[in-house]
Amino acid sequence: MESVTTGAATDGLTLIANGNYVLAKRHRDMVFTSGMTPRREGHLIHTGTFTNDQRAEDSKDAVELAVSNAIAAARRLLRDGEMISSVLTMTVFVSATDDFNQHSRVADHASNWLCRELGPDGIGTRAAVGVASLPGGALVEIQLTAIVAGTS
């Protein structure tokens, strides 16, 4: 099995594990990512908790940053001639008050981004889960499992 822990890569992003874990781990043609928050260069960009006073649309930037970090971590385990061919499953954790009920609409931003990035195979199974808090006060956290295929 291969894993990636931290550092910059050819994608220009610096992803940093914020604890005792690896960012992604590969087993054969599957890559599993850790939960990714909306961080840029190791700094948490989007924090807070959703309430019913907020629109799910206001989370687009945070969700897209978190899911792009997850794909970047997965791609760091690719070998020459390989690509992420599809997403099997994704879990979107949404920091929300107990009366917030638009978790799926928040998660749609991640699904839409993956579809633009990978085409229809970017859409897999999904769970959108409301939680009381996330690491560092993050607004969202995204974990996914992807399939690797050769480009030929």
Side-chain angles (χ1 to χ4, degrees):
M1 282 195 241
E2 300 170 58
S3 61
V4 60
T5 54
T6 188
T10 57
D11 54 21
L13 294 173
T14 300
L15 298 176
I16 299 167
N18 291 297
N20 189 17
Y21 62 94
V22 295
L23 298 175
K25 189 165 246 186
R26 179 174 176 168
H27 180 70
R28 297 188 179 132
D29 66 342
M30 296 175 64
V31 176
F32 305 84
T33 71
S34 292
M36 298 291 176
T37 54
R39 292 180 181 272
R40 187 172 289 120
E41 302 298 321
H43 301 288
L44 190 58
I45 304 298
H46 300 278
T47 60
T49 301
F50 274 99
T51 68
N52 276 335
D53 297 332
Q54 294 168 293
R55 301 174 318 151
E57 291 74 27
D58 296 337
S59 67
K60 184 177 179 186
D61 291 342
V63 173
E64 288 183 349
L65 181 55
V67 75
S68 69
N69 286 341
I71 285 294
R75 284 180 170 153
R76 290 180 183 185
L77 294 174
L78 298 177
R79 299 178 192 111
D80 286 341
E82 292 182 331
M83 62 183 227
I84 299 296
S85 64
S86 66
V87 171
L88 285 179
T89 187
M90 175 175 61
T91 303
V92 179
F93 298 96
V94 179
S95 179
T97 58
D98 61 356
D99 61 341
F100 183 75
N101 61 11
Q102 295 188 44
H103 306 81
S104 289
R105 294 193 63 198
V106 171
D108 280 343
H109 295 305
S111 294
N112 294 341
W113 187 93
L114 287 167
C115 190
R116 287 191 307 273
E117 185 73 13
L118 303 172
D121 287 334
I123 305 297
T125 64
R126 183 182 86 185
V129 181
V131 296
S133 67
L134 288 167
L139 188 60
V140 297
E141 181 173 348
I142 297 177
Q143 182 278 326
L144 57 82
T145 302
I147 296 292
V148 174
T151 56
S152 32

